[in-house]
């Protein structure tokens, strides 16, 4: 990740698994305009939701996903699968989403595309990594 997401100080809570990027949080809190202006190439103006047109789940992937499901069921695992909200607002491919839902049923939570989280750049450190408050909100939604 060096060169892609730059950070110096990280705290990691071994009880809650929460990770905080201290210097990024301080920079955003102190002067969000400067933080995002410095990263204008990453936080470009989006023209709305795009949909991923590439079908990414092929026969091999399908087999592996079914095997994952079999192992989860065998171990009576309770799980949730989150499709993350990325800054680019690219909606997960509908065919792939259909396949995931057919395998994992109601355990899929799709936050991809344009939504409450992806509307605001203040929710992100950069295009793929959202701030802890977004993660907390997603967990509250899926574990309501």
């Amino acid at each position: 990740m060096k060169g892609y997401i730059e950070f110096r100080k990280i705290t990691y809570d071994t009880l809650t698994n929460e990770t905080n990027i201290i210097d990024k949080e301080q920079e955003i809190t102190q002067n969000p305009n400067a933080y995002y202006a410095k990263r204008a190439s990453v936080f470009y103006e989006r023209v709305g939701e795009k949909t991923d047109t590439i079908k990414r789940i092929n026969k091999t992937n399908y087999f592996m996903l079914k095997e994952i499901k079999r192992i989860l069921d065998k171990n009576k695992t309770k799980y949730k699968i989150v499709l993350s909200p990325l800054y680019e607002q690219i909606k997960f491919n509908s065919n792939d989403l259909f396949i995931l839902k057919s395998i994992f049923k109601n355990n899929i939570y799709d936050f991809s595309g344009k939504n409450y989280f992806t509307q605001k750049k203040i929710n992100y450190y950069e295009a793929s990594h959202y701030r802890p408050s977004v993660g907390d909100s997603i967990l509250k939604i899926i574990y309501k």
Side-chain angles (χ1 to χ4, degrees), residues 54-94:
I54 300 169
K55 294 178 184 177
R56 301 189 185 273
I57 301 176
N58 60 30
K59 287 183 182 183
T60 303
N61 301 136
Y62 182 78
F63 173 79
M64 288 188 286
L65 290 166
K66 294 286 281 184
E67 183 64 9
I68 290 167
K69 173 71 163 103
R70 185 191 66 76
I71 293 167
L72 292 170
D73 288 346
K74 176 184 168 190
N75 292 297
K76 296 177 176 55
T77 305
K78 292 183 179 181
Y79 61 91
K80 310 273 187 197
I81 298 170
V82 175
L83 306 180
S84 287
L86 302 179
Y87 181 77
E88 288 93 348
Q89 295 182 330
I90 298 173
K91 187 76 177 152
F92 206 79
N93 179 282
S94 59

Side-chain angles (χ1 to χ4, degrees), residues 22-33 35-36 121-125 131:
I22 297 169
D23 55 331
K24 295 288 185 198
E25 284 297 327
Q26 287 175 343
E27 194 176 350
I28 293 169
T29 302
Q30 289 171 0
N31 193 344
N33 292 334
Y35 180 89
Y36 293 103
K121 62 184 167 190
I122 194 106
N123 286 333
Y124 295 88
Y125 293 125
R131 295 173 69 196

Side-chain angles (χ1 to χ4, degrees), residues 12-144:
Y12 177 73
D13 187 320
T14 56
L15 295 177
T16 65
N17 282 337
E18 186 172 301
T19 302
N20 283 297
I21 304 173
I22 297 169
D23 55 331
K24 295 288 185 198
E25 284 297 327
Q26 287 175 343
E27 194 176 350
I28 293 169
T29 302
Q30 289 171 0
N31 193 344
N33 292 334
Y35 180 89
Y36 293 103
K38 240 190 326 189
R39 295 158 181 84
S41 64
V42 173
F43 294 102
Y44 56 89
E45 287 299 320
R46 298 152 303 167
V47 292
E49 180 178 82
K50 298 176 187 171
T51 300
D52 188 353
T53 58
I54 300 169
K55 294 178 184 177
R56 301 189 185 273
I57 301 176
N58 60 30
K59 287 183 182 183
T60 303
N61 301 136
Y62 182 78
F63 173 79
M64 288 188 286
L65 290 166
K66 294 286 281 184
E67 183 64 9
I68 290 167
K69 173 71 163 103
R70 185 191 66 76
I71 293 167
L72 292 170
D73 288 346
K74 176 184 168 190
N75 292 297
K76 296 177 176 55
T77 305
K78 292 183 179 181
Y79 61 91
K80 310 273 187 197
I81 298 170
V82 175
L83 306 180
S84 287
L86 302 179
Y87 181 77
E88 288 93 348
Q89 295 182 330
I90 298 173
K91 187 76 177 152
F92 206 79
N93 179 282
S94 59
N95 186 64
D96 289 346
L97 183 59
F98 178 81
I99 292 169
L100 289 176
K101 286 182 176 182
S102 72
I103 297 170
F104 298 105
K105 310 293 182 228
N106 294 326
N107 293 308
I108 300 288
Y109 296 85
D110 183 9
F111 294 96
S112 67
K114 188 174 183 175
N115 59 55
Y116 172 79
F117 300 116
T118 62
Q119 287 292 96
K120 302 173 189 169
K121 62 184 167 190
I122 194 106
N123 286 333
Y124 295 88
Y125 293 125
E126 39 73 30
S128 297
H129 293 91
Y130 45 82
R131 295 173 69 196
S133 61
V134 174
D136 290 344
S137 295
I138 289 171
L139 290 174
K140 284 178 186 166
I141 291 168
I142 67 177
Y143 287 103
K144 51 185 165 191

